Amino acid sequence: MTTHRIRRSAAFAAVAFALPVALGVAAPAFADSHTADPYGPACASVPKNGSGSLAGMAKDPVATAASHNPALSTLVTAVKKAGLVDTLNNAKGITVFAPTNQAFAKIPKADLAKLLGDKAELTKVLTYHVVGEKITPKQLAKGSFKTLEGATLTTAGSGGSYTVNGKAKIVCGDVQTANATVNVIDTVLSPPM
C-alpha cells in the first residue's frame, strides 16, 4: 500500500468510529458491553411513558429511578431509612437486585417493622442486594458475585429465567438506570450469618 492509501484508510476508520458518536448513536459495541433488553413477566407492568418508564429510568441514578416505580416503594422507603440514597445514586456501574413490594410483603409484619427500625441491620440487608459491577444476563447463567455487604450471592438460569441464591426469581431483569443495572426480584435476600 502506498502512504496515501494508508492515510486514507486510517482517516476512513476514524470517521467510521466517530460518526455514530457525533450523531448520538451508540458506537460499535465492545466485548464487555451489551444491549439492554429487559425481560421477565413484571416488565409488562412498567409504565410506557414518563419517569417510571424504561426510558425514563435510564435517565436517573438508581435510587431516584426506583422512586418512580410504584412496585418498589417499600424498597425506596428502606433505602431512605438506611441513609443509602446518595451512596446508591453516586455509585458507578453497579447491579442492584431490587425486591418488589410483594417481596417485602412475604416478611411477617412484625419482622419487617423491626428490620426497618434497625438501621445497621437494614443497611446490611440492603447492601447484600448490591454488587459493585455491571452484571449482564449472560453472567447470570451461573454466577457468583461479591456484594457491597461483603458476602457472596449466586445466580443461575438461562433464557431470561434466572434465580438468585436458588430462591428469588428475577421478574424484570436488565433494566438500565443512569448508573446501574437493576434486576427486580420477588423475594428479599438474607445475607449469610
Side-chain angles (χ1 to χ4, degrees):
M1 281 176 116
T2 65
T3 304
H4 179 67
R5 283 186 183 163
I6 293 171
R7 284 188 190 139
R8 199 166 68 199
S9 294
F12 177 77
V15 170
F17 183 79
L19 186 58
V21 175
L23 295 175
V25 179
F30 294 99
D32 64 343
S33 63
H34 78 285
T35 302
D37 191 14
Y39 58 87
C43 291
S45 65
V46 174
K48 302 297 178 213
N49 302 307
S51 56
S53 68
L54 294 173
M57 289 189 290
K59 296 175 185 176
D60 290 321
V62 67
T64 303
S67 72
H68 298 305
N69 187 328
L72 300 176
S73 61
T74 306
L75 174 63
V76 171
T77 297
V79 167
K80 288 177 181 176
K81 284 183 177 283
L84 293 172
V85 172
D86 290 339
T87 300
L88 293 175
N89 278 348
N90 293 322
K92 302 288 184 225
I94 60 174
T95 298
V96 177
F97 292 91
T100 63
N101 294 343
Q102 291 174 337
F104 280 100
K106 291 179 183 180
I107 301 171
K109 286 185 179 184
D111 293 343
L112 181 57
K114 183 178 177 184
L115 176 64
L116 292 173
D118 183 341
K119 186 175 179 178
E121 187 62 24
L122 183 60
T123 299
K124 182 177 179 176
V125 169
L126 293 175
T127 55
Y128 184 65
H129 289 76
V130 183
V131 174
E133 65 181 280
K134 183 174 182 167
I135 301 172
T136 66
K138 185 176 181 180
Q139 292 173 292
L140 292 172
K142 189 176 181 183
S144 179
F145 306 97
K146 185 174 181 182
T147 68
L148 296 188
E149 181 268 337
T152 300
L153 60 77
T154 59
T155 59
S158 64
S161 179
Y162 300 101
T163 59
V164 184
N165 288 351
K167 61 181 177 178
K169 292 179 183 168
I170 295 177
V171 295
C172 185
D174 209 28
V175 176
Q176 301 302 304
T177 71
N179 69 324
T181 298
V182 177
N183 292 303
V184 180
I185 56 176
D186 68 353
T187 304
V188 177
L189 305 172
S190 296
M193 295 297 187

